Amino acid sequence: MKTTFIGLLFLIAPYINAQEKIRTFQLSDAPRYSEETGYGYDLTDTPEKGSKAPFFFSVRVPDGNYQVTVRLGNKKQAGVTTVRGESRRLFIDNLATQKGQFVDETFIINKRNPRISEKESVRIKPREKAKLNWDDKLTLEFNGDAPVCQSISIKPADPSVITVFLCGNSTVVDQDNEPWASWGQMIPHFFGTDVCIANYAESGESANTFIAAGRLKKALSQIKKGDYLFMEFGHNDQKQKGPGKGAYYSFMTSLKTFIDEARARGAYPVLVTPTQRRSFDATGHIRDTHEDYPEAMRWLAAKENVPLIDLNEMTRTLYEALGTETSKRAFVHYPAGAYPGQKQDFADNTHFNPYGAYQIAQCVIEGMKKAVPNLAKHLKIDPAYNPAYPDNPDTFHWNNSPFTEIEKPDGN
């Protein structure tokens, strides 16, 4: 009898430990975030009853992937809720609930800080120090026409979850503030609970500076067998001049480092050619502004037998389909005064707004289905997107986050 009882304890112990890791927060009586509590409402005012204003909730957690379940709804009011995480990564988009209706939605989110080891840290830029991606908290943004959430449950994700590490520049990075956005922060919306997107991209980076800053080393400290390492560079690399520089020289050497390091850990490298700039010729066609960098990536993909998503060609099709004028609506083109403190017109032909970022994310998904089908089979949402027939910008609905940035991202 004693032996049977001890055996039973061994059987149920893992279950007990797993349950202890789940933390559930009821939002109705939650405090403000503090270092003492380690959780609570953050960044903006605590929402009042019946409020339709966006709000934030943070929980202090170690580095890693987390399974988050939000119970959306309210007993006394209908809601339309969008959930974003960390630096505006999109997870739940405009989910409607009726008065008294509650819906549980679960997603996987990656949390990180700059520390690589006791002696090393990522050399983040001064403007990154305030980014939600790099702090010690997991922060969720509840936005939408009428955001409503009853509770949040958080636990460490199952180790079997596939992590997709994104490496790149300002066209990939999680942009914290309106009106800027990039495809990397839209991609999480399309995956379920068996894939996590870890976006390590940063504005202004080239392949070699990404390595030099310790960003690749940080990703490699977290990567495991079966994960993916996506690389989209070229915008800033082409500005590097001098001996040893160039698409088929230092650029190739850096990308080969990414590939070799990923494979050494049993992970899968994937090359992504750089997004086109919005640069039209007199006939309404996109000019190639990336010199031979996209072609060099295609050559390397063939030589190293690495999957390639040709975003350069897909964004050419996308911009030409939108046309010279309508394509401005995919980029940060806004008249002075459109955002607080904006004294001059925005006319940026490299960096996207949320609509543009969402279109390009769908291009990446389509490219993924062809080049990386084993990853694409984990899609929760399959948009069946064709860049020759982009979504109508008039029908795209995005509730702005409360924070804006007048300074453009690094890089061009």
Side-chain angles (χ1 to χ4, degrees):
M1 180 68 178
K2 182 178 179 181
T3 304
T4 304
F5 177 71
I6 293 173
L8 181 61
L9 283 178
F10 277 113
L11 286 172
I12 67 174
Y15 175 78
I16 294 172
N17 291 336
Q19 292 301 304
E20 288 176 346
K21 292 180 181 179
I22 300 174
R23 302 172 66 188
T24 299
F25 307 92
Q26 301 297 328
L27 270 60
S28 59
D29 56 356
R32 297 293 302 175
Y33 183 88
S34 68
E35 289 303 311
E36 289 71 32
T37 63
Y39 71 93
Y41 288 105
D42 203 3
L43 302 179
T44 57
D45 293 339
T46 300
E48 299 179 356
K49 290 183 179 180
S51 171
K52 294 184 178 180
F55 59 91
F56 293 79
F57 196 92
S58 295
V59 181
R60 186 171 61 240
V61 295
D63 275 13
N65 294 337
Y66 289 87
Q67 179 177 304
V68 176
T69 299
V70 291
R71 175 158 289 184
L72 304 179
N74 189 283
K75 290 181 179 179
K76 297 183 178 180
Q77 69 183 79
V80 180
T81 309
T82 290
V83 181
R84 304 170 191 146
E86 296 288 83
S87 293
R88 283 169 72 231
R89 301 176 213 159
L90 180 64
F91 291 96
I92 301 166
D93 190 27
N94 297 307
L95 189 147
T97 50
Q98 300 300 315
K99 177 181 176 181
Q101 178 190 11
F102 293 92
V103 177
D104 288 344
E105 289 285 325
T106 301
F107 54 88
I108 308 294
I109 185 169
N110 177 264
K111 153 73 184 64
R112 69 171 188 266
N113 61 42
R115 292 186 292 276
I116 301 172
S117 67
E118 291 184 2
K119 296 183 179 180
E120 289 184 285
S121 293
V122 178
R123 295 198 296 277
I124 62 176
K125 301 174 182 179
R127 65 186 293 176
E128 287 184 85
K129 291 180 179 179
K131 284 181 73 73
L132 300 180
N133 270 357
W134 286 119
D135 64 19
D136 286 317
K137 301 179 291 185
L138 193 163
T139 300
L140 300 177
E141 174 191 345
F142 294 86
N143 210 319
D145 294 342
V148 287
C149 182
Q150 183 186 61
S151 66
I152 302 169
S153 295
I154 299 174
K155 69 175 182 178
D158 191 283
S160 64
V161 166
I162 298 166
T163 304
V164 180
F165 293 86
L166 305 183
C167 306
N169 52 39
S170 57
T171 65
V172 188
V173 68
D174 293 336
Q175 301 282 5
D176 276 84
N177 303 316
E178 306 290 348
W180 317 92
S182 298
W183 66 260
Q185 66 196 124
M186 301 297 180
I187 284 284
H189 174 57
F190 297 91
F191 283 98
T193 56
D194 45 5
V195 169
C196 184
I197 305 296
N199 192 350
Y200 278 58
E202 174 51 31
S203 299
E205 295 288 11
S206 54
N208 62 337
T209 64
F210 190 97
I211 295 171
R215 299 180 194 277
L216 176 60
K217 193 169 188 178
K218 173 68 177 183
L220 294 173
S221 73
Q222 306 293 310
I223 207 166
K224 67 181 186 304
K225 183 178 180 180
D227 288 344
Y228 290 81
L229 189 75
F230 277 53
M231 301 152 268
E232 189 219 306
F233 292 100
H235 285 81
N236 303 305
D237 305 79
Q238 71 176 112
K239 295 181 290 185
Q240 298 180 354
K241 306 298 180 183
K245 302 299 182 183
Y248 290 94
Y249 295 94
S250 61
F251 186 58
M252 288 292 95
T253 300
S254 295
L255 292 181
K256 184 69 163 56
T257 298
F258 282 83
I259 293 167
D260 292 345
E261 294 287 357
R263 284 176 166 167
R265 291 160 177 80
Y268 304 110
V270 179
L271 289 165
V272 184
T273 56
T275 57
Q276 291 278 4
R277 298 180 176 94
R278 182 186 165 275
S279 178
F280 286 91
D281 63 22
T283 66
H285 293 91
I286 287 291
R287 298 185 184 94
D288 289 315
T289 64
H290 287 293
E291 301 170 354
D292 51 358
Y293 282 80
E295 187 55 41
M297 293 185 80
R298 297 179 190 114
W299 178 86
L300 182 64
K303 181 178 183 297
E304 295 294 326
N305 194 27
V306 173
L308 179 126
I309 296 174
D310 203 341
L311 200 51
N312 191 259
E313 282 304 307
M314 283 190 281
T315 51
R316 180 201 307 276
T317 300
L318 172 63
Y319 304 161
E320 291 180 356
L322 288 168
T324 55
E325 285 303 310
T326 304
S327 60
K328 292 178 181 178
R329 299 182 66 180
F331 290 82
V332 178
H333 272 252
Y334 298 97
Y339 290 88
Q342 181 196 351
K343 297 180 180 179
Q344 298 180 340
D345 292 349
F346 283 143
D348 190 317
N349 294 311
T350 299
H351 300 111
F352 318 114
N353 61 18
Y355 164 76
Y358 196 85
Q359 301 309 297
I360 293 166
Q362 293 182 98
C363 289
V364 175
I365 293 295
E366 288 305 306
M368 189 184 298
K369 287 190 287 187
K370 297 175 182 177
V372 201
N374 285 339
L375 178 58
K377 70 183 181 182
H378 296 285
L379 288 168
K380 177 181 69 174
I381 299 171
D382 184 349
Y385 185 77
N386 185 340
Y389 301 95
D391 300 335
N392 185 344
D394 290 330
T395 64
F396 181 76
H397 184 69
W398 178 268
N399 295 88
N400 283 341
S401 293
F403 307 110
T404 59
E405 176 66 56
I406 303 307
E407 183 182 358
K408 65 176 282 188
D410 294 338
N412 57 50

